[in-house]
Structures are given as structure tokens and as C-alpha cells.
Amino acid sequence: MNPETEFRDGLEQLAVHYKDIIGLLGEDPQREGLQKTPMRVAKAMQILTRGYSQDAHKVLTDALFEEKYNQMVIVKDIDFFSLCEHHMLPFYGKVHVAYIPNGHITGLSKIARVVDIYSHRLQVQERMTQQIKDCIQQTLHPMGTMVVIEAKHMCMQMRGVEKQNSITTTSDFCGAFNQAKTREEFMNLLRGESKRI
């Protein structure tokens, strides 16, 4: 499915609801500049939530390779954009993933695809961190997995406390990363060259 050209069921109903929302906000949905907005927003929301119709586990198993490598594999600075489920405002930043293979590896781009799938849902950063970690651990069965996410939240920047420079960091880990030394190695590698969002 190409999310830019193929849309899921419910698109027309979404557009109807967005037309009502525009009116309820005090605008005229019949105004020239807004006439096509309900359908544009409906399409945009389906694109931004396309992760609901995608299987992250299948993405990994489609590129699963037997390999004896058993040192840390890190894919860092994976850009993501998501929608906070509390206000449906964007949060965005970078995901850093590490795993230690246990007989199998996956294509490096597939790690980024897993991030893409879970970020294209209504989310909270904490849950997304855990979902990415669980997917990799349950599918690849590595010796351990760790995920760190650094993000800025528009619900904190545009509304509420309006703190434009705050960054939220979350992490989740299992297996070999339960050892402080292994976690420290990962974090040191991230600090060495990782760019701030």
C-alpha cells in the first residue's frame, strides 16, 4: 500500500467530520480556501496513522539472515514524527536502537521501518519506546535489545507550559542490556557522534 495514493476505508467519513470540526471552530467550511481542506486533512491523517495497517514483525522476518556476528549492532539517529494521543499534536525526534545478535540479523533499513510503523500511530513516547524494543526482541530473539528516544513535543511547545527547548528522553532495554556495562557502552557510542535534534 502506497500511503500517498491508496487510502483506507473511512476516508469519506473522516472528511465529513473534519468539515463539521471546521464549522465548530468558528470558520466557514464553504469558504474558498477551506472547501477542499476536510478531504486534505482526512488524507493526511490516514498517512500519519498508516502504522495501524502495517506489521512491524513481518518487516523484520522478511529480511532475516543467519549470521554468527554477536557484537552490538547500533542504528542511531533514526528520524521520526508521531502524533501524541492526548492532544493529537506532533512529537518528533530521533530513535537509537541497539541489539546483540544471537544467530540472526536483519537488514539495517528494517530497524528504521519498525520505528516508522510504530511512530505512525497515535502514541505516547513511553509506549513507542517499549513497542520498538519488544518487536525487535520477540522477532529476532537477540541476546539483548535497547531503545532510546529523544523527542520534542508540540503539546508542550504550542500549548500548556509552552517550553520550546525541552527534550524528553525515554529508554527501554532487556537481555544483555540489563548489565550496566553493556548499557554504558551503548550510551557512550551514542554520545560520541550523535547529533542533537
Side-chain angles (χ1 to χ4, degrees), residues 56-57 114-121 123 128 131-132 135:
H57 294 274
V114 168
V115 171
D116 188 62
I117 288 169
Y118 287 116
S119 65
H120 282 82
R121 300 177 180 185
Q123 276 290 12
M128 191 173 92
Q131 287 175 330
I132 295 167
C135 178

Side-chain angles (χ1 to χ4, degrees), residues 1-2 5 17 35 54 63 65-66 74 78 83-84 95-96 98 102 113 127 140 142 150-151 156 178 194:
M1 173 181 166
N2 181 345
T5 57
H17 289 300
Q35 287 178 7
Q54 298 173 327
F65 308 104
E66 191 171 329
I74 299 174
I78 303 169
L83 289 176
C84 169
V95 179
H96 315 291
N102 188 20
R113 288 278 295 117
R127 182 196 308 127
L140 300 182
E150 301 171 288
M156 286 182 65
N178 284 318
S194 182

Side-chain angles (χ1 to χ4, degrees), residues 22-186:
I22 290 170
L24 289 168
L25 291 174
E27 261 289 2
D28 176 9
Q30 298 303 323
R31 184 164 63 77
E32 182 181 9
L34 291 173
Q35 287 178 7
K36 295 182 180 179
T37 296
M39 182 54 73
R40 289 189 192 107
V41 177
K43 288 180 178 179
M45 289 304 292
Q46 283 209 352
I47 291 169
L48 295 173
T49 59
R50 65 179 179 257
Y52 287 119
S53 61
Q54 298 173 327
D55 185 342
H57 294 274
K58 187 175 186 305
V59 165
L60 292 178
T61 56
D62 283 351
L64 194 61
F65 308 104
E66 191 171 329
E67 189 59 57
K68 292 181 181 178
Y69 185 81
N70 62 358
Q71 299 301 312
M72 196 180 300
V73 176
I74 299 174
V75 184
K76 64 181 183 177
D77 293 330
I78 303 169
D79 292 316
F80 81 92
F81 298 88
S82 191
L83 289 176
C84 169
E85 68 179 33
H86 299 145
H87 302 97
M88 292 180 69
L89 289 172
F91 68 99
Y92 62 95
K94 295 186 183 296
V95 179
H96 315 291
V97 177
Y99 75 98
I100 301 174
N102 188 20
H104 291 88
I105 61 171
T106 189
L108 297 177
S109 67
K110 304 307 178 186
I111 300 294
R113 288 278 295 117
V114 168
V115 171
D116 188 62
I117 288 169
Y118 287 116
S119 65
H120 282 82
R121 300 177 180 185
L122 299 182
Q123 276 290 12
V124 294
Q125 183 174 333
E126 297 88 342
R127 182 196 308 127
M128 191 173 92
T129 307
Q130 185 174 32
Q131 287 175 330
I132 295 167
K133 184 266 295 179
D134 288 345
C135 178
I136 293 168
Q137 188 67 28
Q138 293 166 9
T139 308
L140 300 182
H141 306 289
M143 288 185 273
T145 306
M146 184 166 177
V147 176
V148 174
I149 299 181
E150 301 171 288
K152 291 187 175 184
H153 292 249
M154 298 305 284
C155 60
M156 286 182 65
Q157 294 179 301
M158 295 175 65
R159 56 160 301 282
V161 294
E162 296 186 18
K163 300 302 180 189
Q164 284 74 29
N165 297 310
S166 64
I167 296 174
T168 301
T169 302
T170 51
S171 68
D172 197 7
F173 53 86
C174 63
F177 288 94
N178 284 318
Q179 299 176 13
K181 184 178 179 181
T182 309
R183 290 197 307 275
E184 186 178 342
E185 178 185 349
F186 176 41

